[in-house]
Every structure is written in structure tokens, then in C-alpha cells.
Amino acid sequence: MINLVWLFLLLAGFAAAAWQGNIDLVTQAAFAGAAKSINLIISLAGVLMLWLGVLALLEKSGLLQKLAALLAPLLRRLFPELPADSPAFSGIVLNFCANLLGLGNAATPFGLQAMQDLQRLNPRPDEASDSMITLLLLNTSAITLLPTTVIALRSSAGSANPTEILPLCILSSCFGLAVGLLAHALIRMWRGRRC
């Protein structure tokens, strides 16, 4: 459906430019947009590769296991039905760390791996378990301490102070995650009383 919306917008833009006799402006804008997109991709790729490298070093050096041990009390409360030695914890920690650094693209593969591990433990494979819902909440409304992707976007757009959004990003991500976890806890309680 979204493809049809984009197609309509594109065709409407061409039709409006042709109607006004400015079809050459569409061509110029297309080439200028393509050049800007390449520059943006390169700047984002650099930031993404840097932090993926940091995450890989954390994993290879064993610091990830120490970080997982540090986060274990929090993770045990968020995922009470998971066994302590579950392989899903590694993916959950990597996903959580990538999201802390504002690397949603890097967090996705770790989240998918953790979700597959959680599915193997799921007693009802045709519906999402509470752990899977919690992981989805952690991934989609994660606390972001350093929104590197947004900072890179602002920097590539020529912002005078690309990091000025840090306090608001931290505050809004904490609030969003708290609301999501609270809603999930309330739904769990409601479902428990209903059964």
C-alpha cells in the first residue's frame, strides 16, 4: 500500500511540474537529492561501522559478559521467565547496548537473534511470549544515551550544534520506555486476573 502512496506522490509531483512548465526543475532536484543521499549514506555508514566495531570488541574481549552481569539484575526483572543461562541474554544485551548508543540499525540483527532464541523457549509458538513482548518494547522504545545516528544526521545537515538534542533524547527515550513497560505490566496483570 505504501508503494502506491509513494508512486502517487511521485507522479503528482511530475504532473504539477509539467503543468507549470518546470519539468527541468524536477530533473535538477532529482540529481541534487541523489548526491545528498550518497553523502548522507557515507556519513551514516562511518558512524555505524565505528559503533559496530566497538560492539564487536566488547563481545570478543569478554566485556560483554561483564556488562551482561552488570545488567543481570535489571534483565532478570524484565525477563523473569527466562532461564539464567539462556543464549537470548547475549542478544538482548547487545540489542540494549546498541540502542543505548542510538544505533537502531545495529540493534536490529541482535534483536532478531534474541527473538529467535526466545521463540525456541516459547511454549505457545503461535503467539508472542511475555519475554518477546518485553524485548520488542526494549527495542522500539529503548533508552538512548547517545543518539549517534541523529547527531550524524544533524551534523551532515550542517547543524551548528548537533549534540544539543542530547538531554531531550535521553528524557524522551526514558519516558517512552517507562510508559511502554508500565502498559505491558498492566496488561499482564489484567490478563492474569481474567484467566
Side-chain angles (χ1 to χ4, degrees):
M1 181 66 185
I2 194 72
N3 290 336
L4 294 175
V5 171
W6 283 112
L7 180 63
F8 171 75
L9 290 173
L10 185 65
L11 293 176
F14 276 118
W19 179 265
Q20 295 175 350
N22 293 329
I23 200 76
D24 57 324
L25 292 177
V26 173
T27 306
Q28 291 172 8
F31 284 122
K36 284 182 182 178
S37 67
I38 294 298
N39 290 334
L40 178 64
I41 288 169
I42 290 171
S43 66
L44 287 178
V47 169
L48 189 62
M49 285 186 250
L50 169 72
W51 290 108
L52 279 174
V54 169
L55 286 174
L57 287 173
L58 279 174
E59 189 175 20
K60 297 286 185 203
S61 68
L63 288 175
L64 181 64
Q65 286 74 22
K66 291 179 182 174
L67 183 60
L70 185 67
L71 293 172
L74 172 68
L75 292 176
R76 297 274 176 264
R77 290 182 149 242
L78 292 175
F79 299 93
E81 58 275 346
L82 279 185
D85 61 344
S86 173
F89 276 119
S90 175
I92 291 169
V93 169
L94 280 170
N95 180 275
F96 189 76
C97 290
N99 279 317
L100 277 177
L101 297 172
L103 300 170
N105 293 338
T108 301
F110 303 130
L112 289 174
Q113 181 59 50
M115 197 64 80
Q116 289 173 349
D117 293 337
L118 291 173
Q119 179 64 16
R120 284 188 207 100
L121 299 171
N122 190 356
R124 293 184 303 254
D126 55 332
E127 60 184 69
S129 68
D130 284 336
S131 292
M132 295 169 87
I133 294 169
T134 304
L135 176 60
L136 186 63
L137 276 169
L138 281 177
N139 188 46
T140 56
S141 59
I143 295 174
T144 306
L145 296 179
L146 186 62
T148 51
T149 304
V150 176
I151 291 170
L153 283 171
R154 288 175 52 88
S155 180
S156 68
S159 174
N161 189 2
T163 58
E164 71 185 351
I165 59 164
L166 276 175
L168 289 177
C169 280
I170 293 169
L171 188 64
S172 64
S173 64
C174 288
F175 183 73
L177 181 59
V179 168
L181 290 174
L182 179 64
H184 181 50
L186 291 173
I187 290 170
R188 269 183 173 177
M189 286 175 25
W190 178 74
R191 202 174 7 153
R193 287 185 186 158
R194 215 178 53 157
C195 295

Tab-separated table of all heavy atoms in Angstrom, residues 29-62:
chain	number	residue	atom	x	y	z
A	29	ALA	N	16.361	18.665	-9.232
A	29	ALA	CA	16.123	18.263	-7.838
A	29	ALA	C	16.428	16.780	-7.634
A	29	ALA	O	16.959	16.387	-6.581
A	29	ALA	CB	14.688	18.557	-7.447
A	30	ALA	N	16.105	15.947	-8.627
A	30	ALA	CA	16.383	14.515	-8.512
A	30	ALA	C	17.881	14.262	-8.417
A	30	ALA	O	18.343	13.474	-7.583
A	30	ALA	CB	15.783	13.759	-9.687
A	31	PHE	N	18.666	14.930	-9.262
A	31	PHE	CA	20.117	14.742	-9.225
A	31	PHE	C	20.727	15.323	-7.948
A	31	PHE	O	21.614	14.724	-7.346
A	31	PHE	CB	20.781	15.353	-10.460
A	31	PHE	CG	20.596	14.518	-11.693
A	31	PHE	CD1	19.996	15.052	-12.817
A	31	PHE	CD2	21.013	13.196	-11.736
A	31	PHE	CE1	19.804	14.289	-13.954
A	31	PHE	CE2	20.834	12.420	-12.864
A	31	PHE	CZ	20.230	12.963	-13.981
A	32	ALA	N	20.233	16.471	-7.509
A	32	ALA	CA	20.735	17.068	-6.264
A	32	ALA	C	20.387	16.178	-5.070
A	32	ALA	O	21.208	15.982	-4.168
A	32	ALA	CB	20.161	18.469	-6.074
A	33	GLY	N	19.178	15.635	-5.062
A	33	GLY	CA	18.775	14.732	-3.987
A	33	GLY	C	19.597	13.455	-3.970
A	33	GLY	O	19.944	12.954	-2.898
A	34	ALA	N	19.923	12.944	-5.155
A	34	ALA	CA	20.750	11.731	-5.230
A	34	ALA	C	22.142	11.990	-4.664
A	34	ALA	O	22.685	11.172	-3.918
A	34	ALA	CB	20.839	11.248	-6.670
A	35	ALA	N	22.722	13.146	-4.995
A	35	ALA	CA	24.050	13.485	-4.475
A	35	ALA	C	24.015	13.648	-2.950
A	35	ALA	O	24.906	13.160	-2.242
A	35	ALA	CB	24.555	14.768	-5.120
A	36	LYS	N	22.982	14.305	-2.432
A	36	LYS	CA	22.869	14.478	-0.985
A	36	LYS	C	22.672	13.136	-0.284
A	36	LYS	O	23.203	12.913	0.806
A	36	LYS	CB	21.694	15.396	-0.639
A	36	LYS	CG	21.968	16.850	-0.900
A	36	LYS	CD	20.765	17.689	-0.493
A	36	LYS	CE	21.003	19.156	-0.802
A	36	LYS	NZ	19.829	19.977	-0.457
A	37	SER	N	21.920	12.248	-0.912
A	37	SER	CA	21.682	10.952	-0.277
A	37	SER	C	22.964	10.127	-0.191
A	37	SER	O	23.194	9.435	0.801
A	37	SER	CB	20.588	10.179	-1.001
A	37	SER	OG	21.007	9.799	-2.289
A	38	ILE	N	23.813	10.212	-1.207
A	38	ILE	CA	25.095	9.490	-1.166
A	38	ILE	C	25.958	10.031	-0.032
A	38	ILE	O	26.565	9.262	0.722
A	38	ILE	CB	25.832	9.600	-2.526
A	38	ILE	CG1	25.037	8.874	-3.617
A	38	ILE	CG2	27.252	9.053	-2.428
A	38	ILE	CD1	24.858	7.397	-3.401
A	39	ASN	N	26.038	11.357	0.099
A	39	ASN	CA	26.816	11.953	1.198
A	39	ASN	C	26.266	11.534	2.552
A	39	ASN	O	27.019	11.231	3.481
A	39	ASN	CB	26.815	13.480	1.087
A	39	ASN	CG	27.630	13.965	-0.087
A	39	ASN	OD1	28.548	13.285	-0.535
A	39	ASN	ND2	27.295	15.134	-0.590
A	40	LEU	N	24.958	11.499	2.676
A	40	LEU	CA	24.329	11.096	3.931
A	40	LEU	C	24.627	9.638	4.248
A	40	LEU	O	24.956	9.289	5.388
A	40	LEU	CB	22.819	11.331	3.851
A	40	LEU	CG	22.011	10.928	5.070
A	40	LEU	CD1	22.404	11.765	6.274
A	40	LEU	CD2	20.530	11.072	4.778
A	41	ILE	N	24.528	8.781	3.246
A	41	ILE	CA	24.792	7.352	3.446
A	41	ILE	C	26.225	7.130	3.907
A	41	ILE	O	26.486	6.350	4.821
A	41	ILE	CB	24.494	6.558	2.146
A	41	ILE	CG1	22.989	6.493	1.937
A	41	ILE	CG2	25.098	5.163	2.196
A	41	ILE	CD1	22.571	5.972	0.579
A	42	ILE	N	27.172	7.850	3.293
A	42	ILE	CA	28.581	7.687	3.670
A	42	ILE	C	28.807	8.145	5.110
A	42	ILE	O	29.484	7.475	5.888
A	42	ILE	CB	29.491	8.433	2.676
A	42	ILE	CG1	29.472	7.697	1.335
A	42	ILE	CG2	30.905	8.553	3.208
A	42	ILE	CD1	30.161	8.427	0.206
A	43	SER	N	28.219	9.285	5.490
A	43	SER	CA	28.424	9.762	6.860
A	43	SER	C	27.774	8.825	7.868
A	43	SER	O	28.350	8.553	8.923
A	43	SER	CB	27.895	11.184	7.024
A	43	SER	OG	26.500	11.230	6.886
A	44	LEU	N	26.588	8.308	7.576
A	44	LEU	CA	25.934	7.374	8.487
A	44	LEU	C	26.661	6.032	8.547
A	44	LEU	O	26.743	5.414	9.608
A	44	LEU	CB	24.479	7.157	8.079
A	44	LEU	CG	23.525	8.312	8.345
A	44	LEU	CD1	22.135	7.969	7.837
A	44	LEU	CD2	23.477	8.665	9.806
A	45	ALA	N	27.190	5.605	7.404
A	45	ALA	CA	27.908	4.328	7.378
A	45	ALA	C	29.149	4.402	8.262
A	45	ALA	O	29.470	3.439	8.971
A	45	ALA	CB	28.288	3.959	5.950
A	46	GLY	N	29.834	5.529	8.255
A	46	GLY	CA	31.018	5.688	9.097
A	46	GLY	C	30.683	5.566	10.570
A	46	GLY	O	31.353	4.856	11.329
A	47	VAL	N	29.630	6.251	11.003
A	47	VAL	CA	29.216	6.189	12.405
A	47	VAL	C	28.775	4.776	12.763
A	47	VAL	O	29.145	4.242	13.819
A	47	VAL	CB	28.069	7.201	12.659
A	47	VAL	CG1	27.447	6.987	14.012
A	47	VAL	CG2	28.570	8.615	12.525
A	48	LEU	N	28.005	4.156	11.895
A	48	LEU	CA	27.505	2.809	12.158
A	48	LEU	C	28.653	1.809	12.256
A	48	LEU	O	28.683	0.975	13.163
A	48	LEU	CB	26.532	2.404	11.051
A	48	LEU	CG	25.754	1.127	11.246
A	48	LEU	CD1	24.873	1.222	12.477
A	48	LEU	CD2	24.891	0.840	10.039
A	49	MET	N	29.630	1.904	11.355
A	49	MET	CA	30.759	0.971	11.389
A	49	MET	C	31.604	1.158	12.644
A	49	MET	O	32.079	0.183	13.230
A	49	MET	CB	31.617	1.141	10.141
A	49	MET	CG	30.984	0.538	8.900
A	49	MET	SD	32.086	0.610	7.502
A	49	MET	CE	31.260	1.832	6.521
A	50	LEU	N	31.782	2.416	13.053
A	50	LEU	CA	32.554	2.668	14.268
A	50	LEU	C	31.924	1.973	15.468
A	50	LEU	O	32.587	1.222	16.190
A	50	LEU	CB	32.646	4.179	14.528
A	50	LEU	CG	33.202	4.558	15.899
A	50	LEU	CD1	34.691	4.283	15.956
A	50	LEU	CD2	32.901	5.995	16.220
A	51	TRP	N	30.633	2.170	15.684
A	51	TRP	CA	29.997	1.608	16.866
A	51	TRP	C	29.762	0.107	16.754
A	51	TRP	O	29.753	-0.604	17.760
A	51	TRP	CB	28.709	2.359	17.193
A	51	TRP	CG	29.042	3.729	17.691
A	51	TRP	CD1	28.857	4.901	17.038
A	51	TRP	CD2	29.669	4.065	18.928
A	51	TRP	NE1	29.324	5.944	17.792
A	51	TRP	CE2	29.823	5.458	18.959
A	51	TRP	CE3	30.115	3.333	20.022
A	51	TRP	CZ2	30.399	6.134	20.029
A	51	TRP	CZ3	30.686	4.002	21.091
A	51	TRP	CH2	30.815	5.382	21.081
A	52	LEU	N	29.582	-0.405	15.532
A	52	LEU	CA	29.523	-1.862	15.374
A	52	LEU	C	30.868	-2.483	15.733
A	52	LEU	O	30.928	-3.561	16.328
A	52	LEU	CB	29.133	-2.233	13.945
A	52	LEU	CG	27.648	-2.179	13.629
A	52	LEU	CD1	27.414	-2.427	12.143
A	52	LEU	CD2	26.871	-3.173	14.450
A	53	GLY	N	31.943	-1.796	15.378
A	53	GLY	CA	33.275	-2.256	15.762
A	53	GLY	C	33.451	-2.262	17.270
A	53	GLY	O	34.018	-3.200	17.844
A	54	VAL	N	32.969	-1.212	17.935
A	54	VAL	CA	33.046	-1.148	19.394
A	54	VAL	C	32.254	-2.302	20.008
A	54	VAL	O	32.726	-2.971	20.937
A	54	VAL	CB	32.530	0.218	19.912
A	54	VAL	CG1	32.340	0.203	21.415
A	54	VAL	CG2	33.483	1.336	19.496
A	55	LEU	N	31.046	-2.560	19.479
A	55	LEU	CA	30.245	-3.672	19.999
A	55	LEU	C	30.928	-5.015	19.761
A	55	LEU	O	30.888	-5.905	20.615
A	55	LEU	CB	28.855	-3.664	19.374
A	55	LEU	CG	27.906	-2.582	19.878
A	55	LEU	CD1	26.618	-2.589	19.081
A	55	LEU	CD2	27.615	-2.759	21.352
A	56	ALA	N	31.570	-5.176	18.601
A	56	ALA	CA	32.284	-6.425	18.323
A	56	ALA	C	33.466	-6.596	19.276
A	56	ALA	O	33.737	-7.706	19.758
A	56	ALA	CB	32.767	-6.440	16.878
A	57	LEU	N	34.162	-5.500	19.572
A	57	LEU	CA	35.265	-5.570	20.536
A	57	LEU	C	34.763	-5.922	21.936
A	57	LEU	O	35.403	-6.687	22.651
A	57	LEU	CB	36.021	-4.235	20.578
A	57	LEU	CG	36.901	-3.925	19.372
A	57	LEU	CD1	37.462	-2.512	19.464
A	57	LEU	CD2	38.018	-4.948	19.259
A	58	LEU	N	33.622	-5.351	22.300
A	58	LEU	CA	33.022	-5.704	23.593
A	58	LEU	C	32.749	-7.196	23.676
A	58	LEU	O	33.002	-7.833	24.698
A	58	LEU	CB	31.713	-4.940	23.801
A	58	LEU	CG	31.789	-3.500	24.281
A	58	LEU	CD1	30.397	-2.881	24.278
A	58	LEU	CD2	32.401	-3.422	25.654
A	59	GLU	N	32.238	-7.741	22.587
A	59	GLU	CA	31.885	-9.168	22.574
A	59	GLU	C	33.135	-10.041	22.605
A	59	GLU	O	33.230	-10.981	23.379
A	59	GLU	CB	31.042	-9.477	21.337
A	59	GLU	CG	30.459	-10.855	21.344
A	59	GLU	CD	29.532	-11.090	20.160
A	59	GLU	OE1	29.625	-10.365	19.164
A	59	GLU	OE2	28.722	-12.010	20.256
A	60	LYS	N	34.127	-9.715	21.778
A	60	LYS	CA	35.337	-10.547	21.682
A	60	LYS	C	36.203	-10.456	22.933
A	60	LYS	O	36.859	-11.416	23.303
A	60	LYS	CB	36.168	-10.131	20.462
A	60	LYS	CG	35.484	-10.336	19.136
A	60	LYS	CD	35.438	-11.776	18.751
A	60	LYS	CE	34.853	-11.889	17.356
A	60	LYS	NZ	34.292	-13.170	17.082
A	61	SER	N	36.233	-9.291	23.578
A	61	SER	CA	37.098	-9.109	24.743
A	61	SER	C	36.516	-9.681	26.026
A	61	SER	O	37.204	-9.737	27.047
A	61	SER	CB	37.387	-7.623	24.948
A	61	SER	OG	36.210	-6.945	25.337
A	62	GLY	N	35.255	-10.062	26.004
A	62	GLY	CA	34.616	-10.576	27.200
A	62	GLY	C	33.951	-9.493	28.036
A	62	GLY	O	33.334	-9.784	29.061
